[in-house]
Structures are given as C-alpha cells and as structure tokens.
Amino acid sequence: MMRILKKIFLGIIISGITINLTGCEKNHKEIIRIANNQAADHPTNIGLRAFEKFIEGKLGNKYDVQIFPNELLGSQVNTVELTQTGAINFTVASNAILESFDNIYQVFNLPYLFSSPEQYHRVMDDSEIMDPIFKSTKKSGFEAVTWLDAGTRNFYTVKKPINSPDDLNGLKIRVQQSASNIRMMELLGGAATPMGFGEVYTALQQGVIDGAENNELALTSNKHGEVCKYYSYDMHQMVPDILIGNEKFLSNLTPKEREIFQEGFKIISKTQREAWGKAVTVAKEQAKEMNVKFIYPNVEAFKEKVLPLHKEVLEANPKLKPIYEKIQEVGKQLGEEKSNG
Ligand code: GCU
C-alpha cells in the first residue's frame, strides 16, 4: 500500500517537475528539490531543514527549497539518478551506493577503514583530502557538497544472535546495493541480499532476510527493532552519507549565490552532527525498551575475515591508494596525539 502511494506521489512530483521546466511556475521562484530516505525527525532531515531556512532567509525571493524525506522520491539509487539528470537538485546518498556511480567512493566502503570515530570525522572534515574527491565526480553529473554522519554499521538479526563471524554462516543479510558490501558479506560467510533501505522492514518481517546491518537509528527510526531483537557491535563500517548536487545547477549559481550555498552546506553538516550524537543515545534507550539485546562480540574475529578486501580493492582501483594512505596517516597522527596526552 505504502509503495503504491509512494509511486502515485512520485508521479505527481515528476509531472510537477516537468511543468516547472516548461516555465509554468506560479510564483516564479525556482524550486530546489532535495531528496532523502530518512524520517522527518531524523538528524539528516533536521540538517536539511536548517539549510532550507538559511537559503530562504538569504535568497528567498529567488529560491523555494523543498525537502522530500521518507524515500518520497524513490530509493537512493533512483534519487542519485534524478540528481544526475537534473530532475531534482540534491539528494542524500549513502557512500555505499555512490561507488557504482563513481568508483572513487569505493574507498569509504572498506570495512574497518577507520579505527575510531575521531579518525573518521577528522578525515571527512579534512578539505585537503575531501575536496578533490567531492569535485572529481563532475563527469558523472554530480558534485558532492558535504558529508553527514551515519555512525557505525553493525549486524542485527531476527532470531540468531551474532557472537562471531561463524554465526553469519548461511544467514541472509540485507546489504546496501554496492559491490563492496556484497564482497564483504561473502568474506564473512553470510549470504548478501542487496535491496533499497525502504524495503528492509517488510523483508525482515516476512522472513525474506534473517538480518541486516546498520547504525542504531535503523532499529528505532525505521522500526527494524520491532522485528530484530539482537544487535551485535562488530563495528564493521563507518560509511558516511554524502549530499550530492546536480552539476549543472551548481555550476550555474552566481559566485555570490555559491558562497551562500557553501555556508548553507556547512550549516547542514553542523546541525546534523549535533543532532546525531543525541539521536544515537536516544535510539539505544528506545531499542532496549523494544527488548533489543545489545551484544559486544570480539571485533578482531570479524576484522580478520574482511581485511583482505583492502588489498583487493586498492589493487583493482589504484587511484584510491593516495587517499587510503592519507587516511592511515591521520590515524597515526591521532595515535601520537593520544600518547602525548
Ligand atoms: C543509513 C544511511 C542511509 C542508508 C541506509 C541503508 O541509514 O544513513 O543513507 O540509505 O543506512 O542502509 O540503506
């Protein structure tokens, strides 16, 4: 039912977009459409709403920012395509699925790439590392404008708790639609079942899959904790979400407008990050009330199985090597800072 409603809604939006493109806009404002697949009260959406307020405060006579949460414009794979063609202006996309649009993003899908949230944040905030990556996808029709925290990904299951990689044997686990994630599951011994985020709840409920992997908010905001009662902190990935914009739209902004947009992107990331920390704490409490049991397995056992993927990916995609090395340097630097107190 939900899916049919979404399809109808998407149809209306797309025809609206066509009408706009033909110049029949009522108030002569240019609509900026931003898609995302999270609930309206999710930190990501809160960040986007702060952007809407900021842009409309500064450029409200020209732009009307409209945000479409809850996969209203389709799954992330669809909304990246809509952003590439310019049918919409921006979408939030998990780094996981971006790798099939531009393989530079493969690097952030590597399991156990970062050894701490501090390293993850420092790398993602480092414009020297990130700017060239964000800009390098212009040939793919989009440019990344900021990143959003999506925490740490862990396995969660309906019936069988995951205490070691062996427990994944033979289990059907939903992964994001990315070759790296499929390969990661293969190395861990589970059966990877790729699908869009919005399909996961029903798939869990109907027993199509035995579990999935995500941050804690999936249990509460997406209600997966209603079905999955075991959440296992194996910490296999910190996969960022990336806000991407249509290349043509961004390059047509005047320098002054671009400056304002850049400020707006910073506001998204700041607002989202502040909301994120609190949201994870609340989600854990809520999940416990839903009778989800949190498990703390030996992480090293999982690491051992998937680390060969680093070499495999770097050999197949050598342009990732300098980025990978810089990430290691940041880790080393952090370690030295810690040991110097
Ligand atoms: C997280 C992430 C989303 C992603 C989802 C998924 O919620 O923030 O961007 O779509 O995981 O597993 O698909």
Side-chain angles (χ1 to χ4, degrees), residues 110-112 155 162-170 180-190 234 236 298-312:
L110 289 173
Y112 301 107
F155 290 109
I162 305 301
N163 289 301
S164 76
D166 289 348
D167 291 327
L168 286 164
N169 256 332
S180 297
N181 282 350
I182 295 171
R183 180 75 183 121
M184 176 183 77
M185 277 315 301
E186 210 171 71
L187 290 169
L188 284 168
D234 70 292
H236 56 267
N298 173 14
V299 171
E300 292 307 314
F302 293 83
K303 235 189 213 177
E304 215 173 273
K305 295 245 173 195
V306 292
L307 278 186
L309 196 50
H310 289 209
K311 196 164 170 254
E312 204 175 294

Side-chain angles (χ1 to χ4, degrees), residues 37-38 76 93-94 150 153 174 176 197 213-215 241:
N37 66 359
Q38 305 288 1
Q76 281 185 348
S94 170
R153 297 183 80 93
R174 178 266 174 171
Q176 291 173 281
F197 196 34
E213 48 81 54
N214 214 320
N215 60 58
D241 280 340

